[in-house]
Amino acid sequence: MTLMLWSKMPSKWISEGKLREYFSSGREVSDDIAALKVFIALCLLAKQVNRSDGRSCNDVIEAKATYDQLTEMCSLSRSLVSRGLKKLRSIGIVSATGVRSKTYTIGNSAYSGWCKLPKRAIVRNEERIPSMSAFHNRYAHERNALKCFLYIISSRNNSQTYIDLSRGAIAKGTGVALDEIDGAIGFLRSISLISKVEDKGYLVRSTHREQAERLHRYWVVGSSSLNYKTYSVESGDAEFVRHAELYASINDQH
């Protein structure tokens, strides 16, 4: 058994601007929400595997999933799952092989731009993400919230449990308007994907005290466990796993 505190999430597409460019249309809100939900679910289900072709060796991140799994995890209809997957494939974030139980490859390489997605903190019984059921899957603030969550996750480093971001950086990275960021963050807090936010004033270089220069410190759910490596019980690290899990659990409650 492997205790997964977090999952590897390919994030190069976010730094390349695809989150802002392809998920900001006023006409495709439901499809965008479905695509982002499905992306998160696939990352939580995924494993790193080696795909060698005899000439080169390449590690990729893959997930095996059925429509039934994705509808359950994401709280989406089969139609929305289909539309979400179609969008992810169309912009090159995910590719798929197989017929009934498909294998989805996320990104192009397991080493080319990735971040840590909290797993133990948001998944229940290996098949449910309770926070996903709070979405109506049709409102702009829900899409904004998912975009902000993914951007915050992709921006944090591995030396701290929090990330400091200005409103301007979030707006530039996500395409969410400055005056809509507070609503998106508030929604994330209400569904427990963001655990804590601290107002840090304005950027040091700020002279005009503009909205874009407002600085906040963010903690995502399960942030205290994101600095741990993932250990296998079979490999002899059971004692460390138990202590790490206990420590993370205590800190997540405070």
Side-chain angles (χ1 to χ4, degrees):
M1 178 184 70
T2 300
L3 175 66
M4 297 296 293
L5 297 173
W6 48 265
S7 293
K8 208 169 188 178
M9 186 186 98
S11 58
K12 186 177 180 181
W13 64 280
I14 297 175
S15 62
E16 291 174 340
K18 290 183 178 180
L19 183 64
R20 177 188 66 250
E21 181 180 356
Y22 292 104
F23 294 89
S24 299
S25 170
R27 298 171 297 174
E28 302 175 352
V29 175
S30 291
D31 289 8
D32 289 352
I33 291 171
L36 295 175
K37 277 187 163 189
V38 168
F39 173 77
I40 291 171
L42 289 177
C43 290
L44 291 169
L45 292 169
K47 296 180 180 180
Q48 183 170 319
V49 298
N50 179 260
R51 292 291 178 223
S52 300
D53 59 8
R55 293 170 296 178
S56 62
C57 184
N58 184 38
D59 278 12
V60 296
I61 297 176
E62 288 186 351
K64 294 183 182 295
T66 64
Y67 269 47
D68 287 342
Q69 282 179 290
L70 294 175
T71 56
E72 176 70 19
M73 289 188 75
C74 301
S75 295
L76 293 170
S77 66
R78 290 178 68 87
S79 174
L80 274 176
V81 167
S82 177
R83 284 152 54 187
L85 285 167
K86 182 178 180 181
K87 176 144 195 171
L88 292 173
R89 292 195 300 266
S90 71
I91 57 182
I93 298 174
V94 168
S95 59
T97 57
V99 181
R100 297 189 63 182
S101 181
K102 291 182 178 292
T103 297
Y104 299 94
T105 302
I106 311 164
N108 298 314
S109 170
Y111 305 112
S112 180
W114 61 276
C115 61
K116 291 178 178 179
L117 178 65
K119 181 172 183 177
R120 184 180 59 82
I122 65 177
V123 177
R124 296 292 178 269
N125 301 322
E126 297 293 327
E127 59 186 16
R128 291 182 57 251
I129 308 175
S131 58
M132 294 294 191
S133 63
F135 289 75
H136 294 284
N137 303 317
R138 59 176 178 271
Y139 297 120
H141 76 271
E142 297 174 330
R143 178 178 64 180
N144 290 344
L146 286 170
K147 291 201 291 180
C148 287
F149 178 68
L150 290 175
Y151 183 74
I152 290 170
I153 285 287
S154 68
S155 298
R156 66 172 295 280
N157 60 47
N158 203 39
S159 61
Q160 297 170 319
T161 58
Y162 59 83
I163 176 69
D164 290 338
L165 290 169
S166 69
R167 286 291 195 262
I170 294 175
K172 182 178 179 180
T174 63
V176 176
L178 286 171
D179 60 358
E180 295 178 349
I181 291 175
D182 284 336
I185 297 299
F187 182 70
L188 288 173
R189 296 193 72 178
S190 74
I191 62 175
S192 301
L193 286 181
I194 293 289
S195 59
K196 185 179 178 182
V197 179
E198 283 185 0
D199 190 340
K200 307 303 289 185
Y202 290 84
L203 295 171
V204 174
R205 66 175 183 274
S206 175
T207 57
H208 301 294
R209 295 297 192 265
E210 297 177 349
Q211 273 287 96
E213 297 177 332
R214 283 179 60 200
L215 185 69
H216 285 78
R217 180 167 292 177
Y218 301 95
W219 284 263
V220 299
V221 63
S223 60
S224 61
S225 65
L226 294 182
N227 294 54
Y228 294 120
K229 294 180 179 180
T230 302
Y231 289 85
S232 170
V233 173
E234 280 92 345
S235 66
D237 294 302
E239 192 63 26
F240 180 89
V241 169
R242 283 194 289 271
H243 282 87
E245 184 182 31
L246 177 60
Y247 179 81
S249 177
I250 292 172
N251 279 274
D252 285 346
Q253 296 172 21
H254 292 81

